């Protein structure tokens, strides 16, 4: 039988240097959120197929890797559903909702949860899109107050500052908005609730197509021209640095509970005093966020100069409780882990700064056991001092061996022959 | 549609306290092996079905979770094989062999690899046996010398000493043997090579059934009574602390290359000077190790007083190269991660000693934004000093909330009302 040496399509083998970067980033994420009182939790890779389908997963539900029932063989007239009762998780949100329902009596309230793990999507593989990739979600469950938003945004900004300052990047922008403001804007302009989702999809493209493009797209959809005119007029009033309270005043009080704006201002004030001064915090009434399950505040973080977000999230008070049939407030941030790793790799990140001293002993095969023992004694002493030490046979192609070790960060590489003096 | 709140059968949800222990152990494993120059690597959760079947996986091959081809629907007359072209990995050894063949030109030689990851087996779930569990494998590929054995045994002993000293355990025994010694013993007694495997299976039970039991079992198999007698005679000569050289001398030179014993002595001498004095190193000619792919040295580590091993491995020079059709020496250690975690949990491990200071602010809902901001400023300052701080709403059932936080290690828990003075 033939062996296939490449990984399964769309999935990756990670080399030692890949892993150093990935583990370093995971470590900083873990460490930073721990400081804010977040606890790591974990769910299995597989979920019941019933939980994965017919949910909020949207497009992702079409991409489920289904797993065959144990010991089940194909029988005549059988349907696929009878063969597979489980699937690999395609995100960490559905598992979190199940996890919370299953364990809520053993969990603290609020639960501040950090999840880092693989998800699988039977997607068409392409550059930067894989069939197995790491997701990193941070959620606060059971806190309906603005403290949840403040903690999440502050912790995530801090984490990104820590990670990216290693490659000289310190400028980020946090965009904040609220789904209720989005809806109030549309309502005050005269759109009907059924039109909101389509209007938001168009608004979401504003950074690419501009205000004129938004207007054109809305008119092409044959919406009431007066509503479009009024909507564009509202968007026209967005000036850089505009305060939420000021902007919401223009929408009109009948469309929006006044507490939305005052909460937004309170969130921004508190976050401002918690983050690095080089992180900009911006109320952005054009921020949409794709998923329809958001119910309140939404947010996104982008690196200045890059054309995409690297973290995004919001409040979704109606989803977590669905498994247990009760209302449970929830607010979360999803970190684009693979994107972060790709950027760091592109910017030639090295662990040079964090690296322990690395030494190597390359031992000739003719070295007698007594001398070998001396090498190991020396290596042990050096390891106890905190150094990274490797002891390995001296290869015939010693030049290549030394170069490879140097590339891995080994600095003092000693060849040991029978007559080498070790001190 | 009904939601199922329990995890998939045989798989686990991990609570925050479970994760603290698991991550702590993973961290110590990662850190210790790094000191010995091991690099972390990772392969995807899925492998081609061809790679998983018809290999050295033995019984495990029957336990593969097969994954349905993307978008493949059931058609008349189709066989299961056409439906599933991938499966979840059931160990980390088959993926390692594929990984090495796929990446060998980008990898250092020797490769000192650390793998930590989930594996899946569609096994009958029972106490302590799960369908998804973490495996932890350490391998040196491309080093045919005894340096590989020495580094592996020394690093693993060190790692276990570090982990278990936290619960007061320091006494381990490392059992070492060589498959070639096992074979020479059987050959010199008069068994035929076809009988070896069965003889070893019986010998493997000696710690349970004793020497008399071994004799009985061998006679019951109707082996030549003279061979049995001679074999038992040899086993009878095993005295505590017997040296390998001495024991091998009794087997007879015609059955065993003299270098096997001298290498064993050299391994033991070097390891002795590298490990904690409370770790015993024992040449054990009755050590068998199940898997037939071992070709040389084999080893196992047990905690004194416990009736099972927590790590085991050996040299397997003929397996890694199979994917690339070339001989590649390899030697590895597999750590019983789940077993280690279970023991620590049973012994009430806590992270008390390693824990950072934990503080909590419980904020009453009537507190105004200005005061809330003060709380967050204070929390930020404390976090910058390295403390773990959580800010959350004061719940109606404050007593329960405080108790829960105390259980999580929070020590200074402050309730903040509108009139609370913060300094």
């Amino acid at each position: 039988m033939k062996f296939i040496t490449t990984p399964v399509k769309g999935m990756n083998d990670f080399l030692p240097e890949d892993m150093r970067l990935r583990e370093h980033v995971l470590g900083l994420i873990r460490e930073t959120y721990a400081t804010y009182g977040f606890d790591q939790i974990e769910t299995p890779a597989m979920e019941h197929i019933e939980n994965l389908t017919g949910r909020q997963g949207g497009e992702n539900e079409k991409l489920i890797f289904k797993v065959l029932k144990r010991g089940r063989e194909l029988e005549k007239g059988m349907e696929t559903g009878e063969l597979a009762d489980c699937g690999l998780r395609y995100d960490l949100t559905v598992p979190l909702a199940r996890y919370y329902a299953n364990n809520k009596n053993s969990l603290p309230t609020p639960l501040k949860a950090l999840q880092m793990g693989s998800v699988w999507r039977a997607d068409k593989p392409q550059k930067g899109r894989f069939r197995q990739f790491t997701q990193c979600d941070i959620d606060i469950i059971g806190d309906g107050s603005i403290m949840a938003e403040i903690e999440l945004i502050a912790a995530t900004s801090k984490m990104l500052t820590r990670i990216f300052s290693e490659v000289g990047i310190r400028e980020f922008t946090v965009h904040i908005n609220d789904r209720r403001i989005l809806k109030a804007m549309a309502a005050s302009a005269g759109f009907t609730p059924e039109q909101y989702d389509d209007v938001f999809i168009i608004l979401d493209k504003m950074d690419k197509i501009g205000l004129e493009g938004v207007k054109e797209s809305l008119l092409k959809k044959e919406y009431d021209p007066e509503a479009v005119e009024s909507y564009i007029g509202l968007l026209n009033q967005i000036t850089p640095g505009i305060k939420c309270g000021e902007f919401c005043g223009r929408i009109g009080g009948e469309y929006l509970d006044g507490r939305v704006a005052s909460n937004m201002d309170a969130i921004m004030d508190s976050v401002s005093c918690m983050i690095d001064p080089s992180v900009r915090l911006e109320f952005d009434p054009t921020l949409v966020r794709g998923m329809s399950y958001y119910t309140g505040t939404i947010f996104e973080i982008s690196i200045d100069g890059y054309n995409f977000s690297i973290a995004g999230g919001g409040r979704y008070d109606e989803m977590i409780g669905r498994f247990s049939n009760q209302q449970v407030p929830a607010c979360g941030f999803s970190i684009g882990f693979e994107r972060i790793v790709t950027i760091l790799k592109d910017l030639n990140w090295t662990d040079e700064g964090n690296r322990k001293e690395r030494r190597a002993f390359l031992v000739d095969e003719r070295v007698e056991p007594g001398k070998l023992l001396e090498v190991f004694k020396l290596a042990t002493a050096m390891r106890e001092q905190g150094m990274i030490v490797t002891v390995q046979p001296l290869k015939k192609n010693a030049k290549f061996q030394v170069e490879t070790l140097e590339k891995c960060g080994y600095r003092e590489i000693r060849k040991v022959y029978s007559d080498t003096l070790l001190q």
Side-chain angles (χ1 to χ4, degrees), chain A residues 65-310:
Chain A
F65 276 112
K66 292 176 184 162
V67 178
L68 280 183
K69 271 186 204 176
R70 183 199 176 209
R72 192 78 193 209
E73 284 301 319
L74 208 60
E75 284 161 33
K76 227 177 158 177
M78 196 184 252
E79 309 245 324
T80 321
E82 296 174 62
L83 265 180
D85 53 356
C86 293
L88 293 172
R89 61 186 182 197
Y90 53 75
D91 72 8
L92 301 177
T93 310
V94 171
L96 177 65
R98 184 200 54 70
Y99 176 93
Y100 191 76
N102 188 40
N103 301 290
K104 60 179 182 300
N105 295 330
S106 317
L107 293 169
T109 328
L111 171 67
K112 299 172 88 171
L114 165 63
Q115 294 185 88
M116 303 194 288
S118 295
V119 301
W120 293 264
R121 293 183 191 168
D123 218 336
K124 215 178 155 70
Q126 46 183 279
K127 195 182 178 302
R129 184 179 292 178
F130 310 110
R131 289 186 161 191
Q132 173 177 336
F133 58 97
T134 297
Q135 274 209 337
C136 180
D137 279 14
I138 302 97
D139 293 273
I140 301 184
I141 300 176
D143 181 351
S145 82
I146 58 169
M147 288 179 234
E149 277 89 343
I150 296 169
E151 289 277 82
L152 281 170
I153 299 172
T156 305
S157 304
K158 182 81 188 174
M159 181 272 295
L160 291 173
T161 301
R162 279 189 72 182
I163 292 174
F164 280 99
S165 61
E166 294 186 358
V167 287
I169 294 179
R170 294 190 147 269
E171 263 90 56
F172 301 97
T173 302
V174 183
H175 306 262
I176 312 187
N177 195 10
D178 193 298
R179 290 291 287 192
R180 290 165 295 182
I181 295 177
L182 273 178
K183 285 180 187 167
M185 284 163 68
S188 85
F191 290 106
T192 62
E194 304 75 52
Q195 297 171 333
Y196 291 175
D197 276 344
D198 283 333
V199 171
F200 297 163
I201 288 173
I202 293 170
L203 179 63
D204 202 18
K205 295 178 190 143
M206 188 161 134
D207 55 335
K208 293 197 183 76
I209 60 177
L211 196 56
E212 270 310 303
V214 170
K215 187 174 172 178
E216 264 174 49
S217 302
L218 289 173
L219 288 173
K220 207 180 277 169
K221 277 264 185 183
E222 302 192 347
Y223 291 130
D224 174 10
E226 233 170 281
V228 174
E229 204 52 58
S230 161
Y231 197 58
I232 297 297
L234 210 48
L235 294 174
N236 236 329
Q237 301 193 31
I238 302 171
T239 48
I242 192 166
K243 285 269 168 195
C244 179
E246 191 190 337
F247 182 75
C248 291
R250 296 181 192 166
I251 300 176
E254 64 271 42
Y255 298 104
L256 190 64
D257 185 335
R259 280 171 299 185
V260 173
S262 59
N263 275 343
M264 178 68 77
D265 286 338
I267 291 170
M268 292 186 67
D269 287 345
S270 281
V271 171
S272 294
C273 76
M274 298 169 81
I275 57 178
D276 203 82
S278 59
V279 179
R280 279 194 312 152
L281 196 60
E282 202 175 272
F283 167 62
D284 179 356
T286 68
L287 178 68
V288 172
R289 297 284 310 147
M291 306 304 268
S292 58
Y293 54 63
Y294 290 117
T295 57
T297 327
I298 47 179
F299 29 79
E300 225 171 71
I301 305 186
S302 56
I303 305 182
D304 294 5
Y306 282 74
N307 205 11
F308 48 75
S309 73
I310 48 171

Side-chain angles (χ1 to χ4, degrees), chain A residues 398-409:
Chain A
K399 191 161 166 278
F400 179 70
Q401 191 181 14
V402 168
E403 282 169 5
T404 310
L405 285 166
E406 280 172 347
K407 248 178 40 194
C408 295

